[in-house]
Amino acid sequence: MATITIKPMSLIQKYIWVIKTIHRPGRITLKDLNEKWRQNIDLSRGENLPRQTFDRWKGGILDMFGIVIDCEQHGKYHYYIANPEVLSEGELRTWLLDTYGTAETLSSSISIHDRILTEEIPSSQDFLATILEAMKSNTVLQMTFQSFTMKEAKTFLVEPYCVKMSAQRWYMLARNVDYNYLRLYSLDRMENVRLTDAHFVLPKDFCAKDYFAEYFGVVLDESAPLQRIVLRADKYHQHYMRTLPLHLSQKEIYACDDYADFELTLRPTYDFYMKLMSFGNMIKVLEPESLQEKIYKWLEKTIEVYK
């Protein structure tokens, strides 16, 4: 069996542990919080959580997540989250809490590591931090990039607008300085990224969420018309559609024991076609007819491959 090196918890993971441990019961004394910390040997190594450290973490939690941890000024002096509504507000904050909360849970389960299976994601750690730093200061990046269709890597300047995760990959939306167009670059195809001394002005009307709102994933095609799409999910797959919507615009418009119909509004592109086909006979396109025909032709070509 391979040896697992247990790394110390990062500060953000400690913040998440504190948030979840206080939020779960609603209120908790510092004594009980410290006891839970000590009992979790994988995380605390059996050491205490000093009050001074806890006070610093409270400040860090406020700065990073906007979460206020307050203390009752009577009784047993329980600590509680004074603004719990913040826990469900903001996509990035929610993602961080979920992601690092899961990491904290997994890091306390090292003893059963060979029974926890995860998906591999192409590494983006080398460049994500540099890109985020450039986004904060609107700094131009020099990037060496080689796509799957390029014979060799090329080096050029880009202005990073935003980053997006899709289908287990991180992407950067950036303006190519030489050609003056916006394009998505997959971080796992980057060979080198560095900050330059140049800066750029992010357009005031740019909104990352709005930019991608009309698309399923990261294939952007303005020539694809914005359409109302109706999908019918069978009696089994309708539950998956409800719990994991295909798109932000998804709405359930009809349901019965045998199926449910869902409405989406987006520009259908290649990645959306592939997603629909991956469902097989569990999903049927009801509207528009043009999308029905598109999927039908794709399926015909698939059948031809196996003849």
Side-chain angles (χ1 to χ4, degrees):
M1 183 179 296
T3 300
I4 299 295
T5 301
I6 304 176
K7 297 181 179 180
M9 288 180 70
S10 68
L11 191 56
I12 192 171
Q13 285 176 290
K14 293 173 182 176
Y15 290 170
I16 298 295
W17 182 88
V18 169
I19 294 169
K20 288 185 173 291
T21 305
I22 293 177
H23 183 61
R24 197 174 293 118
R27 295 171 185 268
I28 190 171
T29 64
L30 183 58
K31 178 182 178 181
D32 290 340
L33 184 69
N34 179 61
E35 186 61 25
K36 288 181 179 295
W37 174 255
R38 285 198 314 106
Q39 288 175 356
N40 200 326
I41 302 298
D42 285 327
L43 304 183
S44 68
R45 307 297 186 268
E47 298 177 357
N48 285 316
L49 175 59
R51 178 179 291 275
Q52 296 90 335
T53 300
F54 176 61
D55 288 339
R56 287 201 308 273
W57 289 1
K58 284 197 301 175
I61 289 169
L62 177 60
D63 291 340
M64 181 170 291
F65 298 105
I67 294 174
V68 178
I69 296 177
D70 211 343
C71 181
E72 296 174 337
Q73 297 304 310
H74 55 79
K76 294 185 178 181
Y77 297 96
H78 287 86
Y79 284 91
Y80 63 97
I81 294 177
N83 54 342
E85 68 280 358
V86 173
L87 292 170
S88 59
E89 295 176 352
E91 292 180 8
L92 179 59
R93 180 187 292 114
T94 302
W95 182 84
L96 282 171
L97 288 170
D98 288 343
T99 300
Y100 280 96
T102 301
E104 177 263 310
T105 301
L106 292 177
S107 65
S108 64
S109 306
I110 296 298
S111 60
I112 54 170
H113 68 89
D114 55 340
R115 293 160 58 191
I116 302 174
L117 306 180
T118 60
E119 293 184 346
E120 291 189 13
I121 298 177
S123 178
S124 58
Q125 297 182 46
D126 294 339
F127 306 123
L128 183 58
T130 302
I131 292 170
L132 295 179
E133 183 180 350
M135 287 168 55
K136 292 175 186 177
S137 56
N138 288 344
T139 299
V140 176
L141 291 169
Q142 182 184 79
M143 178 175 69
T144 302
F145 182 83
Q146 183 173 11
S147 70
F148 292 122
T149 59
M150 295 167 59
K151 292 183 178 179
E152 58 183 24
K154 294 184 178 179
T155 300
F156 47 92
L157 300 177
V158 294
E159 299 172 351
Y161 277 37
C162 70
V163 291
K164 176 180 173 66
M165 180 183 282
S166 179
Q168 297 177 252
R169 280 184 165 86
W170 277 102
Y171 294 84
M172 172 183 67
L173 178 69
R175 188 181 76 87
N176 185 299
V177 174
D178 293 331
Y179 296 99
N180 192 28
Y181 62 65
L182 284 176
R183 181 184 164 184
L184 275 169
Y185 300 94
S186 176
L187 269 64
D188 66 304
R189 303 308 302 161
M190 296 177 183
E191 296 185 0
N192 188 44
V193 174
R194 72 170 186 86
L195 300 169
T196 69
D197 294 328
H199 291 79
F200 67 96
V201 178
L202 184 71
K204 291 183 179 180
D205 59 350
F206 176 77
C207 173
K209 187 174 182 178
D210 290 345
Y211 189 86
F212 289 95
E214 296 179 350
Y215 297 97
F216 168 71
V218 292
V219 178
L220 309 179
D221 183 4
E222 292 185 357
S223 66
L226 184 65
Q227 296 179 325
R228 175 182 179 266
I229 297 168
V230 180
L231 305 176
R232 175 163 293 174
D234 68 15
K235 64 188 300 181
Y236 303 109
H237 197 72
Q238 59 177 298
H239 307 296
Y240 294 93
M241 289 281 287
R242 290 192 188 99
T243 55
L244 191 62
L246 289 178
H247 190 256
L248 292 173
S249 66
Q250 180 176 305
K251 298 177 182 178
E252 185 170 344
I253 57 177
Y254 180 78
C256 63
D257 292 339
D258 294 327
Y259 60 84
D261 295 341
F262 298 88
E263 177 188 271
L264 300 84
T265 303
L266 52 77
R267 298 179 187 270
T269 51
Y270 172 81
D271 51 356
F272 184 60
Y273 302 145
M274 294 299 98
K275 186 64 175 179
L276 292 181
M277 288 182 63
S278 72
F279 293 131
N281 62 356
M282 297 182 293
I283 291 286
K284 179 182 179 180
V285 177
L286 299 184
E287 299 178 32
E289 186 176 339
S290 59
L291 182 56
Q292 271 189 345
E293 294 175 352
K294 186 79 172 180
I295 297 299
Y296 186 85
K297 289 179 180 178
W298 276 97
L299 291 172
E300 278 190 323
K301 291 180 181 179
T302 302
I303 293 173
E304 286 294 323
V305 171
Y306 289 94
K307 284 186 177 180

